[in-house]
Amino acid sequence: MAHAPVPFLDLQRINDRHRAAYQAALSRVLDSGRVLLGEETAAFEREFAAWCGASHCVGVGNGFDALRLVLRAWGIGTGDEVIVPSHTFIATWLAVSEVGAVPVPVEPAPDCCNIDPARVEASITPRTRAIVAVHLYGRPAPMRELSEIARRHGLKLLEDAAQAHGAQLGGRPCGSLGDAAAFSFYPGKNLGALGDGGAVTTNDPALADRVRRIGNYGSSVKYHHEIAGVNSRLDELQAAFLRERLRVLDADNAHRRRVAQAYRSGLAGLPGLTLPASDDADRLSAWHLFVVRHGERDALAELLTARGVATLVHYPLPIHRQGAYADTPLARQSLPLAEAWAREALSLPIGPTLTDDDVAWVVSSVRSACDRLATT
Ligand SMILES: *Cc1c(COP(=O)(O)O)cnc(C)c1O
């Protein structure tokens, strides 16, 4: 009955697989004599753009910067509104706030974690400039519907793909489905660096050029600054590490998919438990997270902890109720679906090094916990 603890995500083990390659990458960077704006970053940008099916990739400092640099490059700022999902990681909203615009939250679809396209148009005003579509938990957002709405209203469509490296919609990878996409390489993401990193992908060469300039102090020629830019660059070392991780990303994502399938079949029909939507021929999740819902979420988490199964909540407090927005009208919005996610969501362990044995233990633990909660 006892089993070794199942960590939520074993980063140590994930990175240990690449120890020799990472050490070789460090030597390569040291030998090159360049730590910024060199060949490793350029090579990673080419490789990642190709992997996403986008024509351009610009490495930046982190995922948050990827979002805000695109918004800035589009000239979005004070007086503008940007549609965002009510249920997402706070970075999506903060990037909009950071450029001086107002995030306008739209609730998710009833059976999905992602923004409900049917609710978007009611939130569009003459000030609306863009929609940020988040592929939350790795599940592709309804991009066809959102593209159609964006086209009809002359809005930009930005993908927040920070959780969606390798997700696909209609056979096309996330990162090439909107006007631009923002990626994060935070260590815990499907494609993680050994520190912070991010990227913007786009098929628009002028946008790529502008994002690159804004992220490099507004400069394309050293010490000439055409725009008041900022400093946000992907460094050579992180790029070299990411090139190694990119080689195994398809295999890692395939492993995540198998874990998700095993969870879905092992946990089907349990009392009180709602499973995440399954993949189909059209929509392939990157399975960054496997998020179930349960009316007694905290009790479920406690029973799992007692069995050594680590869980997390993504996310426990809805963004409109965070202190960060306490002084804004957003704090008074009624967003019951976002609130319900915050109350009921529970993320089970998933990752490229989770073993069959771990998965079986998680399944039996969730089964016994749900049965117990149903009879008390
Ligand atoms: C992680 C994440 C970000 C931010 O990425 P950082 O690299 O941590 O700045 C943005 N949006 C979503 C949905 C994320 O999960």
Side-chain angles (χ1 to χ4, degrees):
M1 160 94 183
H3 185 278
V6 182
F8 186 75
L9 181 72
D10 196 343
L11 271 182
Q12 180 100 36
R13 225 170 121 197
I14 290 169
N15 287 326
D16 253 341
R17 306 177 303 172
H18 304 284
R19 187 176 287 264
Y22 284 167
Q23 280 163 344
L26 170 60
S27 296
R28 223 163 54 227
V29 171
L30 287 173
D31 289 343
S32 79
R34 271 201 97 102
V35 293
L36 282 168
L37 304 173
E39 260 318 298
E40 292 292 336
T41 308
F44 173 72
E45 288 173 343
R46 284 193 301 273
E47 290 161 9
F48 191 64
W51 192 82
C52 293
S55 48
H56 302 274
C57 170
V58 181
V60 298
N62 51 65
F64 175 74
D65 282 355
L67 290 165
R68 71 176 174 126
L69 292 181
V70 171
L71 296 172
R72 252 203 76 177
W74 281 335
I76 294 174
T78 309
D80 295 330
E81 293 175 358
V82 176
I83 306 268
V84 295
S86 63
H87 177 53
T88 176
F89 179 57
I90 194 169
T92 315
W93 290 37
L94 286 177
V96 173
S97 302
E98 230 284 319
V99 300
V102 175
V104 176
V106 171
E107 291 267 72
D111 56 346
C112 180
C113 57
N114 284 324
I115 195 167
D116 185 350
R119 296 173 186 252
V120 168
E121 275 187 304
S123 296
I124 293 175
T125 76
R127 292 165 184 261
T128 310
R129 297 283 313 278
I131 302 171
V132 187
V134 182
H135 309 300
L136 198 67
Y137 307 150
R139 184 170 172 81
M143 295 302 291
R144 284 181 287 254
E145 295 83 346
L146 294 174
S147 301
E148 179 52 35
I149 295 166
R151 195 192 55 72
R152 230 176 10 248
H153 295 269
L155 309 177
K156 295 290 190 187
L157 179 56
L158 172 58
E159 296 173 82
D160 180 340
Q163 303 189 358
H165 320 73
Q168 289 186 15
L169 186 67
R172 289 172 58 204
C174 289
S176 63
L177 304 173
D179 295 307
F183 283 93
S184 163
F185 307 124
Y186 176 82
K189 310 288 190 186
N190 287 32
L191 179 60
L194 297 186
D196 280 313
V200 170
T201 55
T202 180
N203 289 324
D204 176 350
L207 178 71
D209 179 64
R210 196 163 168 83
V211 166
R212 192 181 294 287
R213 257 189 301 160
I214 297 173
N216 190 31
Y217 286 121
S219 167
S220 42
V221 176
K222 199 163 186 170
Y223 301 134
H224 293 262
H225 307 271
E226 308 93 58
I227 325 172
V230 299
N231 177 1
S232 183
R233 301 178 293 224
L234 183 67
D235 67 69
E236 287 287 286
L237 200 48
Q238 297 305 335
F241 295 150
L242 287 166
R243 292 180 74 194
E244 294 303 328
R245 266 304 279 282
L246 187 56
R247 288 181 219 284
V248 302
L249 184 51
D250 284 324
D252 280 2
N253 282 344
H255 186 87
R256 287 173 179 274
R257 228 158 255 148
R258 281 193 297 276
V259 172
Q261 266 156 17
Y263 281 163
R264 280 192 52 83
S265 58
L267 302 175
L270 287 181
L273 192 76
T274 305
L275 296 176
S278 64
D279 285 344
D280 55 39
D282 188 47
R283 215 173 281 261
L284 273 187
S285 176
W287 292 107
H288 174 59
L289 295 169
F290 189 93
V291 181
V292 300
R293 294 179 68 163
H294 194 286
E296 289 178 79
R297 188 265 316 280
D298 293 341
L300 175 59
E302 240 172 76
L303 289 169
L304 293 176
T305 304
R307 303 251 302 190
V309 174
T311 59
L312 287 174
V313 173
H314 298 93
Y315 300 90
L317 187 62
I319 302 170
H320 63 290
R321 296 191 35 224
Q322 298 278 354
Y325 286 101
D327 297 336
T328 74
L330 288 161
R332 293 187 295 277
Q333 289 228 356
S334 164
L335 298 166
L337 296 183
E339 305 254 358
W341 274 98
R343 236 176 9 249
E344 297 180 357
L346 188 67
S347 305
L348 302 182
I350 193 164
T353 61
L354 207 66
T355 65
D356 291 350
D357 204 41
D358 291 333
V359 171
W361 181 250
V362 174
V363 165
S364 82
S365 300
V366 175
R367 293 190 69 88
S368 74
C370 286
D371 287 339
R372 198 160 140 195
L373 289 170
T375 57
T376 51

